[in-house]
Amino acid sequence: MTREQLFEQILKKKSYLCVGLDTDPKKLPQHLLDTEDPVFEFNRQIIEATADLCVAYKPNIAFYEAQGPQGWVSLEKTLQVIPENIFTIADAKRGDIGNTSELYARAFFETMQFDSVTVAPYMGADSVKPFLVQEGKWVILLALTSNAGSQDFQMLRLEDGNEEYLFEQVLRTSATWATADQMMYVIGATQAEYVQRVRKLVPNHFLLVPGVGAQGGSLEDISRLGMNQQCGLLVNSARGIIYASSGRDFAAKAREAALAVQREMEVCLEQYVRHV
Amino acid sequence: MTREQLFEQILKKKSYLCVGLDTDPKKLPQHLLDTEDPVFEFNRQIIEATADLCVAYKPNIAFYEAQGPQGWVSLEKTLQVIPENIFTIADAKRGDIGNTSELYARAFFETMQFDSVTVAPYMGADSVKPFLVQEGKWVILLALTSNAGSQDFQMLRLEDGNEEYLFEQVLRTSATWATADQMMYVIGATQAEYVQRVRKLVPNHFLLVPGVGAQGGSLEDISRLGMNQQCGLLVNSARGIIYASSGRDFAAKAREAALAVQREMEVCLEQYVRHV
């Protein structure tokens, strides 16, 4: 999917919501446990209930990997029921030496048909570039994450005369590897105070924003500070939507939760994106 | 496996060789392609031919993941034929927010029975610590990798008054998260000039060393500079061993290649480890 196509979807749906399919087999509604593939059945119903309210789905790969081979089967089947016009993110946080990153790229872009994959920057250019070979396929690079551990290394100051943080150097360097048409960045919603520094370095890139809701980030803050003229944000919500209810009404309740977020997003889009 | 048990194996076998099971389905000998699971069959014969010459096996997970669910089946079967007294490394380079890293830990330590998993440090303490919950299970943290991209971020100088590199701060900080009984570090063989700086910060930890052979690192250099009193090194070789021949004799040739490395290691052990 191209950047223009993604922005079109955002305008059409008045939403920049990404639904996190972090499906934990231990949290499934009781009545699904008898189905052939409960994880897939849960995802299928969540997708059916929310597809008109969101522009992206993001399965965190760990949840599937933890199930062994069956988890990968559930994931592949899930991919197949996501409508074509919805952006898909393999939240895998991969990254390895060149010939190995190529294999990960093959796994997520070919074996499965994801539009994008999250990648960790620590190993540098040749660990990231193998994911950048196909048009319409994206790298979403970790820059400033939402967790407490982001303080340990991402926020270290560099001896460069500019008092820059490591995450700023990651943005600056990686922005030379690909344009805003192939690269996005993970910026945690809990890091709103740094979003202006991010936007100075990457004004046009989309940011994938986890950490709204359960982790305490504010949708209003991140939208006000982070939006650009093409929206430029995908805000992820997982637990708040997919586990809105643990009963037979889980899909209906997920829809209600997604709708509440979408309405808030509609207001932010009108307020902060000039095109709308 | 404990550090003492690993050192015992090293002394017994006079080897600190780790064989990288980076099994690419496109490089398999022709005659294996008719077997039920060619990747597994290849691994099984490689393991049978080399198990007395090495102390560790390290499948790079990308090679299996790229095959979809079948790849995970081949990987699980491979794990089952590795003898108990050989250390196993899931070279996965994972790392995510706390509750997600827990799932990766479950995938590699429980669903599969690996002794260790390689982890990327960028997301900090709470992305690494979930891998540290079980005695005898190890984190092998990326510190200074063997690839060209290691220059991009790992070698950035920090504004800390000590002119330290980022990888040194990664060692310094992460060494407070776990002792040398649960943590190892990835240090590329191509980085021999920095190994003394590494040993100042982590004198007792095992180092997992890729990059000897195809990538140009020297076994002698890394052994002289990096060994400690418990050896403290696992040196990985993949392509040089598993693809020593592409014919019917692949396993016999792999054994010859492993034997040549083991003999060089025996000399280094006698020369640089006082216990031996």
Short mmCIF file of all heavy atoms in Angstrom, two decimals, chain A residues 98-136:
data_model
loop_
_atom_site.label_atom_id
_atom_site.label_comp_id
_atom_site.label_asym_id
_atom_site.label_seq_id
_atom_site.Cartn_x
_atom_site.Cartn_y
_atom_site.Cartn_z
N GLY A 98 22.60 -8.68 6.99
CA GLY A 98 21.92 -8.56 5.71
C GLY A 98 21.24 -9.80 5.17
O GLY A 98 20.03 -9.80 4.93
N ASN A 99 21.98 -10.90 4.98
CA ASN A 99 21.35 -12.06 4.32
C ASN A 99 20.25 -12.65 5.19
O ASN A 99 19.32 -13.28 4.70
CB ASN A 99 22.40 -13.12 3.94
CG ASN A 99 23.01 -13.83 5.13
OD1 ASN A 99 23.07 -13.26 6.24
ND2 ASN A 99 23.46 -15.04 4.94
N THR A 100 20.31 -12.42 6.50
CA THR A 100 19.29 -12.95 7.39
C THR A 100 18.06 -12.04 7.41
O THR A 100 16.93 -12.52 7.41
CB THR A 100 19.87 -13.11 8.81
OG1 THR A 100 21.10 -13.80 8.72
CG2 THR A 100 18.93 -13.87 9.69
N SER A 101 18.28 -10.72 7.39
CA SER A 101 17.13 -9.82 7.31
C SER A 101 16.35 -10.05 6.02
O SER A 101 15.13 -9.93 5.99
CB SER A 101 17.58 -8.35 7.41
OG SER A 101 17.63 -7.94 8.77
N GLU A 102 17.06 -10.41 4.97
CA GLU A 102 16.37 -10.76 3.71
C GLU A 102 15.36 -11.88 3.93
O GLU A 102 14.27 -11.87 3.35
CB GLU A 102 17.40 -11.27 2.68
CG GLU A 102 17.92 -10.20 1.76
CD GLU A 102 19.07 -10.74 0.92
OE1 GLU A 102 18.99 -11.87 0.41
OE2 GLU A 102 20.08 -10.01 0.82
N LEU A 103 15.75 -12.86 4.73
CA LEU A 103 14.84 -13.98 5.00
C LEU A 103 13.63 -13.54 5.81
O LEU A 103 12.52 -13.99 5.58
CB LEU A 103 15.59 -15.09 5.73
CG LEU A 103 16.61 -15.83 4.89
CD1 LEU A 103 17.51 -16.67 5.77
CD2 LEU A 103 15.91 -16.72 3.87
N TYR A 104 13.87 -12.65 6.79
CA TYR A 104 12.73 -12.14 7.55
C TYR A 104 11.80 -11.36 6.62
O TYR A 104 10.57 -11.44 6.72
CB TYR A 104 13.20 -11.24 8.70
CG TYR A 104 13.67 -12.01 9.91
CD1 TYR A 104 14.92 -11.75 10.47
CD2 TYR A 104 12.86 -12.96 10.53
CE1 TYR A 104 15.36 -12.45 11.59
CE2 TYR A 104 13.29 -13.65 11.65
CZ TYR A 104 14.55 -13.39 12.19
OH TYR A 104 14.98 -14.07 13.29
N ALA A 105 12.39 -10.57 5.72
CA ALA A 105 11.58 -9.81 4.77
C ALA A 105 10.74 -10.77 3.93
O ALA A 105 9.56 -10.55 3.69
CB ALA A 105 12.48 -8.95 3.88
N ARG A 106 11.36 -11.88 3.51
CA ARG A 106 10.64 -12.88 2.74
C ARG A 106 9.49 -13.46 3.57
O ARG A 106 8.37 -13.64 3.08
CB ARG A 106 11.62 -13.99 2.31
CG ARG A 106 11.16 -14.79 1.11
CD ARG A 106 11.97 -16.06 0.91
NE ARG A 106 13.38 -15.84 0.61
CZ ARG A 106 14.30 -16.80 0.64
NH1 ARG A 106 13.98 -18.06 0.93
NH2 ARG A 106 15.57 -16.52 0.38
N ALA A 107 9.77 -13.75 4.83
CA ALA A 107 8.75 -14.34 5.70
C ALA A 107 7.52 -13.44 5.79
O ALA A 107 6.39 -13.90 5.67
CB ALA A 107 9.31 -14.61 7.09
N PHE A 108 7.74 -12.15 5.98
CA PHE A 108 6.60 -11.28 6.26
C PHE A 108 5.98 -10.67 5.01
O PHE A 108 4.79 -10.39 4.97
CB PHE A 108 7.00 -10.18 7.25
CG PHE A 108 7.24 -10.73 8.61
CD1 PHE A 108 8.53 -10.76 9.16
CD2 PHE A 108 6.21 -11.28 9.35
CE1 PHE A 108 8.76 -11.31 10.41
CE2 PHE A 108 6.42 -11.82 10.60
CZ PHE A 108 7.70 -11.84 11.14
N PHE A 109 6.78 -10.46 3.97
CA PHE A 109 6.25 -9.81 2.76
C PHE A 109 5.82 -10.81 1.69
O PHE A 109 5.00 -10.51 0.85
CB PHE A 109 7.30 -8.87 2.16
CG PHE A 109 7.62 -7.68 3.01
CD1 PHE A 109 8.88 -7.07 2.93
CD2 PHE A 109 6.69 -7.14 3.88
CE1 PHE A 109 9.19 -5.95 3.70
CE2 PHE A 109 6.98 -6.02 4.67
CZ PHE A 109 8.24 -5.43 4.58
N GLU A 110 6.39 -12.02 1.71
CA GLU A 110 6.07 -13.00 0.67
C GLU A 110 5.31 -14.20 1.21
O GLU A 110 4.19 -14.47 0.78
CB GLU A 110 7.35 -13.43 -0.06
CG GLU A 110 7.94 -12.28 -0.86
CD GLU A 110 9.27 -12.65 -1.52
OE1 GLU A 110 9.51 -13.82 -1.82
OE2 GLU A 110 10.08 -11.72 -1.71
N THR A 111 5.93 -14.93 2.16
CA THR A 111 5.23 -16.08 2.74
C THR A 111 3.88 -15.62 3.30
O THR A 111 2.84 -16.22 3.05
CB THR A 111 6.07 -16.74 3.85
OG1 THR A 111 7.36 -17.04 3.33
CG2 THR A 111 5.41 -18.02 4.34
N MET A 112 3.94 -14.53 4.09
CA MET A 112 2.70 -13.85 4.47
C MET A 112 2.69 -12.54 3.68
O MET A 112 3.69 -12.11 3.17
CB MET A 112 2.68 -13.61 5.97
CG MET A 112 2.50 -14.91 6.75
SD MET A 112 2.73 -14.73 8.52
CE MET A 112 4.53 -14.64 8.62
N GLN A 113 1.53 -11.92 3.58
CA GLN A 113 1.46 -10.75 2.70
C GLN A 113 1.29 -9.45 3.48
O GLN A 113 0.42 -8.64 3.16
CB GLN A 113 0.29 -10.92 1.72
CG GLN A 113 0.45 -12.12 0.81
CD GLN A 113 1.08 -11.75 -0.52
OE1 GLN A 113 0.63 -10.85 -1.21
NE2 GLN A 113 2.16 -12.43 -0.86
N PHE A 114 2.14 -9.26 4.48
CA PHE A 114 2.05 -8.02 5.24
C PHE A 114 2.51 -6.82 4.39
O PHE A 114 3.35 -6.96 3.51
CB PHE A 114 2.95 -8.11 6.48
CG PHE A 114 2.32 -8.84 7.63
CD1 PHE A 114 2.66 -10.16 7.89
CD2 PHE A 114 1.40 -8.22 8.45
CE1 PHE A 114 2.09 -10.86 8.96
CE2 PHE A 114 0.81 -8.90 9.51
CZ PHE A 114 1.16 -10.22 9.76
N ASP A 115 1.95 -5.64 4.72
CA ASP A 115 2.40 -4.40 4.08
C ASP A 115 3.66 -3.86 4.74
O ASP A 115 4.41 -3.08 4.14
CB ASP A 115 1.32 -3.32 4.18
CG ASP A 115 0.09 -3.66 3.35
OD1 ASP A 115 0.26 -3.94 2.15
OD2 ASP A 115 -1.03 -3.65 3.90
N SER A 116 3.86 -4.21 6.00
CA SER A 116 4.96 -3.59 6.75
C SER A 116 5.43 -4.49 7.87
O SER A 116 4.70 -5.39 8.29
CB SER A 116 4.49 -2.26 7.35
OG SER A 116 3.50 -2.51 8.33
N VAL A 117 6.63 -4.21 8.35
CA VAL A 117 7.15 -4.97 9.49
C VAL A 117 7.93 -4.01 10.39
O VAL A 117 8.62 -3.10 9.90
CB VAL A 117 8.01 -6.17 9.00
CG1 VAL A 117 9.12 -5.72 8.09
CG2 VAL A 117 8.57 -6.98 10.15
N THR A 118 7.77 -4.17 11.68
CA THR A 118 8.56 -3.34 12.60
C THR A 118 9.97 -3.93 12.73
O THR A 118 10.14 -5.16 12.79
CB THR A 118 7.91 -3.23 14.00
OG1 THR A 118 7.77 -4.54 14.55
CG2 THR A 118 6.55 -2.56 13.93
N VAL A 119 10.96 -3.04 12.75
CA VAL A 119 12.37 -3.45 12.73
C VAL A 119 13.12 -2.69 13.83
O VAL A 119 12.86 -1.51 14.07
CB VAL A 119 13.00 -3.17 11.34
CG1 VAL A 119 14.48 -3.53 11.31
CG2 VAL A 119 12.25 -3.92 10.24
N ALA A 120 14.06 -3.37 14.48
CA ALA A 120 14.90 -2.74 15.51
C ALA A 120 16.16 -2.18 14.85
O ALA A 120 16.74 -2.83 13.98
CB ALA A 120 15.26 -3.76 16.59
N PRO A 121 16.60 -0.99 15.24
CA PRO A 121 17.68 -0.33 14.52
C PRO A 121 19.10 -0.67 14.97
O PRO A 121 20.06 -0.29 14.30
CB PRO A 121 17.41 1.16 14.81
CG PRO A 121 16.83 1.16 16.19
CD PRO A 121 16.02 -0.11 16.28
N TYR A 122 19.25 -1.39 16.09
CA TYR A 122 20.57 -1.48 16.73
C TYR A 122 21.68 -1.98 15.80
O TYR A 122 22.82 -1.55 15.90
CB TYR A 122 20.47 -2.38 17.97
CG TYR A 122 21.69 -2.35 18.86
CD1 TYR A 122 21.98 -1.23 19.64
CD2 TYR A 122 22.55 -3.44 18.93
CE1 TYR A 122 23.09 -1.20 20.46
CE2 TYR A 122 23.67 -3.42 19.75
CZ TYR A 122 23.94 -2.30 20.51
OH TYR A 122 25.05 -2.28 21.33
N MET A 123 21.38 -2.87 14.87
CA MET A 123 22.42 -3.44 14.00
C MET A 123 22.71 -2.59 12.76
O MET A 123 23.54 -2.97 11.93
CB MET A 123 22.08 -4.88 13.63
CG MET A 123 22.16 -5.81 14.85
SD MET A 123 21.80 -7.55 14.47
CE MET A 123 23.26 -7.99 13.51
N GLY A 124 22.01 -1.48 12.59
CA GLY A 124 22.37 -0.52 11.55
C GLY A 124 21.87 -0.82 10.15
O GLY A 124 21.04 -1.71 9.93
N ALA A 125 22.40 -0.04 9.20
CA ALA A 125 21.89 0.02 7.82
C ALA A 125 21.67 -1.35 7.19
O ALA A 125 20.59 -1.64 6.66
CB ALA A 125 22.86 0.83 6.95
N ASP A 126 22.69 -2.20 7.21
CA ASP A 126 22.54 -3.45 6.45
C ASP A 126 21.57 -4.43 7.09
O ASP A 126 21.21 -5.45 6.49
CB ASP A 126 23.90 -4.10 6.16
CG ASP A 126 24.69 -4.38 7.42
OD1 ASP A 126 24.83 -3.49 8.26
OD2 ASP A 126 25.19 -5.50 7.57
N SER A 127 21.11 -4.14 8.30
CA SER A 127 20.08 -4.99 8.91
C SER A 127 18.67 -4.49 8.56
O SER A 127 17.71 -5.23 8.69
CB SER A 127 20.26 -5.05 10.43
OG SER A 127 19.91 -3.83 11.04
N VAL A 128 18.59 -3.24 8.12
CA VAL A 128 17.28 -2.64 7.83
C VAL A 128 16.98 -2.62 6.34
O VAL A 128 15.86 -2.88 5.91
CB VAL A 128 17.23 -1.20 8.40
CG1 VAL A 128 15.91 -0.51 8.04
CG2 VAL A 128 17.43 -1.21 9.92
N LYS A 129 18.01 -2.34 5.54
CA LYS A 129 17.77 -2.15 4.10
C LYS A 129 17.17 -3.35 3.37
O LYS A 129 16.41 -3.16 2.42
CB LYS A 129 19.08 -1.70 3.42
CG LYS A 129 19.44 -0.27 3.77
CD LYS A 129 20.70 0.19 3.05
CE LYS A 129 20.99 1.65 3.36
NZ LYS A 129 22.29 2.08 2.80
N PRO A 130 17.45 -4.59 3.78
CA PRO A 130 16.83 -5.71 3.06
C PRO A 130 15.30 -5.71 3.14
O PRO A 130 14.64 -6.37 2.33
CB PRO A 130 17.39 -6.95 3.77
CG PRO A 130 18.69 -6.49 4.33
CD PRO A 130 18.46 -5.07 4.75
N PHE A 131 14.74 -4.95 4.08
CA PHE A 131 13.28 -4.86 4.16
C PHE A 131 12.73 -3.79 3.21
O PHE A 131 11.52 -3.60 3.11
CB PHE A 131 12.85 -4.50 5.59
CG PHE A 131 13.08 -5.59 6.60
CD1 PHE A 131 14.21 -5.59 7.41
CD2 PHE A 131 12.16 -6.62 6.74
CE1 PHE A 131 14.42 -6.59 8.35
CE2 PHE A 131 12.36 -7.62 7.68
CZ PHE A 131 13.49 -7.60 8.49
N LEU A 132 13.62 -3.06 2.55
CA LEU A 132 13.21 -1.89 1.75
C LEU A 132 13.24 -2.14 0.25
O LEU A 132 13.35 -1.21 -0.53
CB LEU A 132 14.12 -0.71 2.09
CG LEU A 132 13.98 -0.15 3.50
CD1 LEU A 132 15.14 0.78 3.83
CD2 LEU A 132 12.65 0.58 3.66
N VAL A 133 13.14 -3.38 -0.17
CA VAL A 133 13.36 -3.66 -1.58
C VAL A 133 12.13 -3.60 -2.47
O VAL A 133 12.23 -3.49 -3.68
CB VAL A 133 14.06 -5.03 -1.78
CG1 VAL A 133 15.51 -4.94 -1.32
CG2 VAL A 133 13.32 -6.11 -1.02
N GLN A 134 10.94 -3.65 -1.87
CA GLN A 134 9.73 -3.68 -2.69
C GLN A 134 8.91 -2.42 -2.50
O GLN A 134 8.65 -2.02 -1.36
CB GLN A 134 8.86 -4.86 -2.26
CG GLN A 134 9.09 -6.13 -3.03
CD GLN A 134 8.17 -7.21 -2.50
OE1 GLN A 134 8.49 -7.87 -1.52
NE2 GLN A 134 7.02 -7.38 -3.13
N GLU A 135 8.46 -1.83 -3.58
CA GLU A 135 7.58 -0.67 -3.46
C GLU A 135 6.28 -1.08 -2.77
O GLU A 135 5.78 -2.18 -3.00
CB GLU A 135 7.28 -0.14 -4.85
CG GLU A 135 7.31 1.38 -4.93
CD GLU A 135 7.03 1.84 -6.35
OE1 GLU A 135 7.60 1.24 -7.29
OE2 GLU A 135 6.24 2.78 -6.50
N GLY A 136 5.75 -0.20 -1.96
CA GLY A 136 4.50 -0.51 -1.28
C GLY A 136 4.68 -1.38 -0.05
O GLY A 136 3.71 -1.69 0.64
#
